[in-house]
Amino acid sequence: MADRAASAIWHGNLFDGSGTVSALSSGLFTDAGVTWASRTEAPGGKTSPEELLAAAHAACFCMAFSNELSTRGIPRRGWT
């Protein structure tokens, strides 16, 4: 079974505070900034929980769709 870990740190109140998120098991990103404004307004170079979930969902969909195409014998040529 694969073991995955991430961390989140938050400082301050909801509207004026800020925090970071890190992908601990992969090390792909460390201390990526997150704020309330990055969730509800312009991202300003920061991420949001919704963006991270959207990326995870998109990756799962692509994997499942690729598997479905290959099990139906559709050649890989032409899809990325």
Side-chain angles (χ1 to χ4, degrees), residues 7-71:
S7 70
I9 298 171
W10 188 262
H11 302 283
N13 66 37
L14 176 61
F15 299 108
D16 299 319
S18 63
T20 59
V21 293
S22 299
L24 300 178
S25 45
S26 69
L28 186 61
F29 56 90
T30 304
D31 297 330
V34 62
T35 63
W36 178 253
S38 69
R39 290 185 71 192
T40 60
E41 300 169 18
K46 295 179 174 59
T47 190
S48 70
E50 293 81 6
E51 182 178 42
L52 297 170
L53 286 171
H57 187 241
C60 288
F61 176 84
C62 288
M63 285 185 239
F65 188 57
S66 173
N67 182 60
E68 188 63 28
L69 291 173
S70 65
T71 58

